[in-house]
Amino acid sequence: MTPALAIKNYTLDYATAAGPVHVLHDISLQIEPGEVLGLVGESGSGKSSLAWALMRHLPDNAREIAGSLHLGDTDLQRLSPRELTKVRGRRLGMVFQDPSTALNPTLTVGRQVTETLVQHRGLGQREANALAIDLLGHVELRDPAAIMLRYPHEISGGEKQRVIIAAAFGCRPDVILFDEPTTALDVITGARILELFARLREETGVAALYISHDLALVTRVADRVAVLKHGRLVEQAPAADIFRAPRHADTQALVQAVPRPERRLIHDRPSDEVLLAASDIEVHYGRASLFGHAAPPATRRIGLDVRVGEILGLVGESGSGKSSVARALTGLARFSGKVRFDNREITGARDMNAAYRRDVQIIFQHPDSSLNPRQRISEILSRPLKLYGGNTAEIPRLLEQVRLPASFAGRWPHQLSGGQKQRVAIARAFAARPKLVICDEITAPLDVSVQAQIIELLLALRAATSTAFLFITHDLNLIRQIAHRIAVMRGGEMVDLLPIEDFDADHVHPYTRELMAASPVPVG
Amino acid sequence: MTELFIRLIRRPQGLVGVALLALIAVTCLFGPALAPYAPEKIDFLGRFRSPGWHNWLGADEFGRDILSRLMVGARSTVPMALIATLAGSAVGAIVGVGSAYLGGRIDEAIMRTNDAVMAIPGLLMALLLVSTLGNGAGNAVIAIAIAFAPGMARVTRSVALNIRNQDYVKAAIARGEGATWIIFREMLPNVMAPIVIESTIRVSFAVMLFATLSFLGVGAQPPASEWGLMVADARQYMYQAPWGLIAPSAAIALTAIAFNLLGDGLRDALNPRDER
């Protein structure tokens, strides 16, 4: 039987001004009809390039050095642009990472679904409409006829991804490529999308290539898993085996890096002395204008306290208001309520004096945007030293503290990798010798293995400085490894605030239980 | 910097723009030394001499050599336009970034005032200002700078609004930096690329505007050999000696094109995503 998709000895380079960059090297993969192959790798391992090569949508500087790509009997590399339009979408579907950019914001959802059906299945407008409503109902969208008339900004991210999946499945393709379809969604929505994917797969028997950086997640959806590292295939094994018995060292490192809640990384108990106590915090964005009311507050009377040397986790899905809390505590957003820090009462950004600014530091999610691209690392690190009193001769020590060579001081941010940039951001926060560091999803954009290194670094810094952390994340497995207490937020309200020992107990909030169920705990 | 320059001249627009500007720069610096005649040298026998061996671009109503006058006049045209643009861009950029940083009602107040100034056409604005400040090249420069600043402020503000939401600006606010530091050190360097591009394109407008003011008699005063003034003088003899009109007009056009091409080239060269 011919495989649904066959990649043989495929080698791809990108030609750049600095010479060719090898992206993929001698990749051979096969997907049988009805099989789901998971492709796992860190960012930059070439997994998305492979997806684009299959879709025949490579940038102009791509050079295909060797190998072949076959979809069934069709040689994808030989197709003319005209033949290609009959294969793309029709026989080879694709679901993208970010549903918010994959739909055209100026067309209704219905128009975008029916257009693919008219184009690829030769249906009339009326039949296409009926089928689209049917398909949208099938991906568990409530009231599909109403959704058809809406524009993409009127539906949620999870609903958009469902629409895209419905359109992809609607053309009955032989193979569907999934490029990190749940990464941009929050945990619970992502888990529901995965359930939907499993159901549709069972019904249609479609073959799929599922690309992700998350090994734990891939082992749940795929039959077989292939691990990609620096453009080379290091291991291929059935999904059930790869987690239990990884053979290759790189796979073992990936498995090791996956956070598991039962493997605690800290064992001390924090003191009972309260460092920061916030009560009745309501964060406001925008002001009431002449013609309209102000938007409702992003958080509803949140109260939390951080103790000296404690790691407090703050979990919730996107839009739950957890980042708003971080912004309020650092004076970046207008808030009402009281914050008590070091026996001083603070009721707004104006009350935050230099001492508070020094003691409470924030590290942002995206290291790319938190370092000024026009300043060298030395200048970035020298600012807190100059502001809070310190000597710029300390810069090499700061870099060493985050395990970067002192020579990095002369570099520009764009010369560093994502993990290295985040280390610089951590060094900048610790340059102030803070008492509390707020980490706003700092590991979310990083690979699992880099995430493990950053967490290890933070814990080492905590051991050395006994700083308290407010650790904001959506990854429940990760936070259960390191936090002393965890607060759970939903829709601007705090639903739970529990010590870590109580997390398996019965009296947790139903929503917390739902979150735990949705977090992919690795098999094996 | 050298890398940027190499990227710039690798593109045809950039290369042509840089070559033309080099030519103009040489004329500005060494014009009087290179010119075949003195610009004020009157030759009554050679009135309205057509272009040829004696006067390469012809002679005007006093028999003055047009090429020499152009070469000397470059000094009083191009640097003036550059100064006017630089001053206008600097003021506009600072207003724009400051407005974006401060936000809220202050931003609203600054930008509505800005809109009001922008609603007056550039030439009319410049004429208004010169008529209050008095004739002369210096005042024309000030007028052009003021006429340019609002447009620049608008362009800068729109870019700066994006920068304002970047985490490094938030980080600076969170660690308690002052407004001056944030505006000048955190935000301004990051909006430079669009400002540089916009202002090179605006230099060509400034050259034309400056020439227009001189043509209307409120900019440079005779007997200066400013290009716009040369066009104004030659206008009366348009049918007798069209070269008197064509040569300075062509020089103005060429300078404008050169700066435009440089602006286009810079836009491509400063875009680091375009790494091909």
Side-chain angles (χ1 to χ4, degrees):
Chain A
M1 194 162 73
T2 44
L5 187 73
I7 302 163
K8 275 206 195 82
N9 308 104
Y10 189 69
T11 302
L12 179 76
D13 283 2
Y14 285 139
T16 64
V21 177
H22 307 295
V23 182
L24 293 168
H25 190 86
D26 199 18
I27 303 287
S28 293
L29 287 170
Q30 276 195 9
I31 305 178
E32 303 301 329
E35 187 188 35
V36 176
L37 177 70
L39 186 62
V40 188
E42 300 179 348
S43 51
S45 62
K47 48 195 199 306
S48 286
S49 289
L50 185 63
W52 290 117
L54 288 168
M55 289 306 280
R56 310 308 301 153
H57 190 70
L58 287 166
D60 292 339
N61 61 342
R63 305 275 174 274
E64 297 179 287
I65 306 295
S68 65
L69 306 169
H70 282 272
L71 176 70
D73 300 325
T74 318
D75 185 349
L76 291 171
Q77 284 165 307
R78 295 246 172 99
L79 292 177
S80 67
R82 182 180 279 273
E83 290 166 327
L84 208 52
T85 57
K86 295 206 177 91
V87 170
R88 272 190 203 144
R90 176 72 190 87
R91 293 183 55 201
L92 186 62
M94 185 156 181
V95 175
F96 299 92
Q97 176 170 3
D98 192 354
S100 58
T101 55
L103 289 173
N104 186 336
T106 59
L107 297 176
T108 59
V109 169
R111 181 81 196 280
Q112 298 185 55
V113 177
T114 52
E115 197 194 335
T116 49
L117 296 174
V118 170
Q119 177 81 24
H120 290 303
R121 292 183 60 178
L123 299 178
Q125 191 62 46
R126 194 169 297 172
E127 297 160 277
N129 257 332
L131 181 61
I133 292 177
D134 199 37
L135 284 169
L136 291 181
H138 212 71
V139 292
E140 292 151 28
L141 283 169
R142 263 166 301 175
D143 200 1
I147 294 249
M148 293 273 286
L149 298 176
R150 294 205 198 143
Y151 285 90
H153 68 266
E154 295 173 314
I155 59 177
S156 73
E159 285 172 328
K160 277 181 224 170
Q161 199 63 299
R162 278 167 198 269
V163 168
I164 293 165
I165 290 174
F169 274 89
C171 296
R172 299 201 190 132
D174 304 338
V175 178
I176 299 184
L177 309 179
F178 289 88
D179 189 0
E180 310 234 6
T182 62
T183 311
L185 305 172
D186 61 71
V187 195
I188 292 180
T189 320
R192 292 202 188 113
I193 294 280
L194 288 183
E195 281 166 25
L196 169 72
F197 170 63
R199 203 197 81 214
L200 288 175
R201 205 199 132 191
E202 213 158 275
E203 288 171 10
T204 59
V206 71
L209 178 67
Y210 195 101
I211 297 171
S212 175
H213 69 276
D214 191 343
L215 188 60
L217 184 145
V218 168
T219 50
R220 296 203 310 171
V221 296
D223 302 314
R224 254 177 339 119
V225 176
V227 180
L228 204 59
K229 170 117 182 170
H230 298 316
R232 284 165 198 274
L233 212 53
V234 294
E235 186 165 354
Q236 250 190 96
D241 297 347
I242 203 152
F243 226 96
R244 260 182 235 117
R247 282 197 307 271
H248 196 278
D250 289 323
T251 324
Q252 283 163 3
L254 266 178
V255 170
Q256 271 297 314
V258 171
R260 292 155 187 260
E262 69 276 8
R263 200 172 60 212
R264 293 276 294 163
L265 295 175
I266 54 160
H267 306 286
D268 57 349
R269 296 195 61 81
S271 69
D272 286 336
E273 194 189 335
V274 172
L275 176 67
L276 177 143
S279 51
D280 296 335
I281 297 291
E282 286 197 340
V283 182
H284 305 271
Y285 294 111
R287 287 168 198 274
S289 68
L290 198 56
F291 303 108
H293 296 286
T299 62
R300 285 189 211 122
R301 303 181 85 84
I302 293 287
L304 55 79
D305 56 316
V306 185
R307 293 167 197 167
V308 175
E310 182 189 40
I311 299 183
L312 175 68
L314 186 56
V315 221
E317 50 190 63
S318 44
S320 62
K322 53 192 195 307
S323 288
S324 296
V325 174
R327 284 191 204 131
L329 293 181
T330 47
L332 292 173
R334 215 156 46 86
F335 66 95
S336 57
K338 273 186 289 188
V339 177
R340 212 175 159 70
F341 185 85
D342 245 4
N343 295 320
R344 271 192 71 232
E345 200 141 279
I346 291 160
T347 51
R350 276 171 201 284
D351 297 345
M352 293 179 181
N353 57 8
Y356 180 86
R357 300 269 188 198
R358 184 186 65 229
D359 287 341
V360 179
Q361 290 287 318
I362 183 165
I363 306 171
F364 292 95
Q365 175 173 10
H366 294 289
D368 303 326
S369 76
S370 68
L371 305 181
N372 192 329
R374 304 275 167 164
Q375 294 178 358
R376 288 179 195 273
I377 304 303
S378 55
E379 188 177 0
I380 291 172
L381 291 180
S382 72
R383 280 319 289 176
L385 295 174
K386 280 180 187 155
L387 268 179
Y388 308 130
N391 195 339
T392 46
E394 279 184 68
I395 289 175
R397 188 189 60 79
L398 290 173
L399 283 169
E400 192 193 328
Q401 203 177 22
V402 292
R403 293 171 208 161
L404 290 175
S407 62
F408 270 40
R411 295 212 187 173
W412 298 99
H414 69 86
Q415 294 169 318
L416 272 55
S417 73
Q420 290 169 338
K421 280 184 223 169
Q422 200 58 293
R423 280 164 196 266
V424 173
I426 292 170
R428 174 171 65 183
F430 276 87
R433 301 178 189 279
K435 290 179 182 157
L436 171 66
V437 173
I438 299 173
C439 303
D440 190 359
E441 300 252 22
I442 61 167
T443 60
L446 304 174
D447 289 322
V448 187
S449 52
V450 183
Q451 165 177 306
Q453 293 162 14
I454 293 283
I455 294 295
E456 193 202 327
L457 170 69
L458 283 179
L459 295 181
L461 284 171
R462 175 175 172 271
T465 60
S466 67
T467 307
F469 285 96
L470 175 60
F471 203 95
I472 298 171
T473 180
H474 63 268
D475 188 343
L476 199 57
N477 288 339
L478 171 71
I479 197 65
R480 284 176 74 187
Q481 281 190 297
I482 60 171
H484 296 106
R485 286 184 307 150
I486 297 178
V488 181
M489 285 187 73
R490 180 176 66 171
E493 279 175 70
M494 189 166 289
V495 297
D496 248 344
L497 178 55
L498 294 170
I500 190 78
E501 302 85 44
D502 294 357
F503 241 71
D504 297 316
D506 297 333
H507 61 267
V508 299
H509 192 274
Y511 177 73
T512 311
R513 196 165 298 142
E514 201 181 343
L515 260 184
M516 280 199 279
S519 306
V521 178
V523 279
Chain B
M1 207 55 201
T2 38
E3 186 198 347
L4 178 72
F5 187 72
I6 292 166
R7 282 229 295 262
L8 178 65
I9 58 173
R10 215 188 272 156
R11 282 154 229 284
Q13 316 96 299
L15 186 64
V16 176
V18 168
L20 281 174
L21 284 178
L23 188 72
I24 293 165
V26 168
T27 323
C28 287
L29 288 173
F30 309 110
L34 292 174
Y37 301 97
E40 324 290 346
K41 189 173 168 269
I42 294 170
D43 176 5
F44 277 107
L45 291 176
R47 290 182 73 213
F48 303 120
R49 190 180 278 143
S50 57
W53 180 240
H54 208 82
N55 301 108
W56 288 5
L57 293 177
D60 66 3
E61 75 270 25
F62 299 114
R64 293 178 297 192
D65 180 43
I66 291 177
L67 178 65
S68 306
R69 283 176 66 73
L70 274 184
M71 288 172 85
V72 176
R75 251 186 201 190
S76 52
T77 311
V78 181
M80 290 297 183
L82 269 175
I83 293 169
T85 316
L86 276 180
S89 302
V91 171
I94 292 168
V95 169
V97 174
S99 182
Y101 169 69
L102 293 168
R105 297 212 172 101
I106 303 173
D107 178 37
E108 197 75 9
I110 293 176
M111 288 328 282
R112 292 299 79 78
T113 318
N114 198 54
D115 285 348
V117 180
M118 251 177 107
I120 307 167
L123 181 60
L124 195 61
M125 182 79 192
L127 272 176
L128 259 167
L129 285 164
V130 173
S131 65
T132 29
L133 295 172
N135 291 355
N139 288 340
V141 167
I142 295 172
I144 293 172
I146 293 175
F148 273 8
M152 212 60 213
R154 239 193 196 284
V155 172
T156 318
R157 177 177 169 271
S158 66
V159 186
L161 279 180
N162 284 327
I163 303 288
R164 174 81 171 75
N165 283 325
Q166 293 288 319
D167 286 341
Y168 52 81
V169 176
K170 287 188 199 153
I173 298 170
R175 67 171 181 261
E177 298 274 13
T180 338
W181 170 272
I182 293 175
I183 291 173
F184 283 94
R185 276 307 285 136
E186 300 279 347
M187 291 174 77
L188 209 51
N190 287 294
V191 297
M192 273 325 267
I195 293 177
V196 167
I197 295 157
E198 178 74 13
S199 44
T200 41
I201 292 172
R202 267 168 192 271
V203 173
S204 59
F205 285 103
V207 170
M208 288 190 282
L209 200 53
F210 194 66
T212 311
L213 288 178
S214 301
F215 175 83
L216 293 173
V218 292
Q221 299 298 315
S225 57
E226 202 278 328
W227 297 348
L229 196 61
M230 283 172 73
V231 176
D233 290 343
R235 193 179 49 138
Q236 303 169 39
Y237 314 104
M238 199 160 81
Y239 298 106
Q240 266 170 294
W243 46 86
L245 199 70
I246 291 168
S249 309
I252 294 168
L254 212 61
T255 313
I257 290 169
F259 277 106
N260 256 325
L261 287 175
L262 179 76
D264 284 354
L266 271 179
R267 187 190 52 211
D268 294 344
L270 280 173
N271 185 359
R273 281 187 205 172
D274 202 36
E275 279 283 4
R276 299 237 170 107

